[in-house]
Amino acid sequence: MMWIVIIIASFFELGFTVCMKLSDGMKIKKYVVGTVVCTAISIGLLSLATKTLPLGAAYAVWTGLGTVFNVAFGILVFKEPGSAKKLFFMGLVLAGVVALRLTA
């Protein structure tokens, strides 16, 4: 169950980074609020999950999934380049996340 909480926390990590990008240097109020709210929820969920999960694995999965979600979102929505190398290394991050989950 707490691994699902980590996944949800990672989606909120995506939310806060996207809002931060859209805030134009923290100038657009609605995106600043979105950044703060998503950050609080993401870290709050991570904190909840670390009550029962090993800290290192939980944090690594949270940041790893957040990284994968952000790279994928950037490619799909912001039309950032999605080179074969970028996708390969994103796959390695995902493989590391799965491996940490299986060994925790």
Side-chain angles (χ1 to χ4, degrees):
M1 176 62 184
M2 285 299 135
W3 290 109
I4 294 170
V5 172
I6 292 287
I7 294 168
I8 295 168
S10 295
F11 276 111
F12 278 99
E13 183 182 0
L14 169 65
F16 80 68
T17 55
V18 170
C19 285
M20 194 173 10
K21 178 176 176 64
L22 296 175
S23 75
D24 189 32
M26 300 303 223
K27 294 176 190 165
I28 302 174
K29 189 175 182 177
K30 68 181 179 181
Y31 293 117
V32 172
V33 171
T35 299
V36 171
V37 169
C38 286
T39 301
I41 293 170
S42 182
I43 292 174
L45 291 172
L46 175 63
S47 176
L48 175 68
T50 58
K51 286 183 176 184
T52 57
L53 298 176
L55 176 63
Y59 183 74
V61 169
W62 177 68
T63 57
L65 285 178
T67 300
V68 170
F69 294 156
N70 274 285
V71 171
F73 194 87
I75 292 169
L76 297 172
V77 176
F78 293 128
K79 306 301 182 204
E80 296 172 357
S83 67
K85 287 180 185 179
K86 184 182 280 189
L87 296 175
F88 171 75
F89 288 115
M90 191 169 76
L92 287 179
V93 170
L94 191 56
V97 166
V98 170
L100 278 169
R101 163 57 184 101
L102 294 174
T103 60

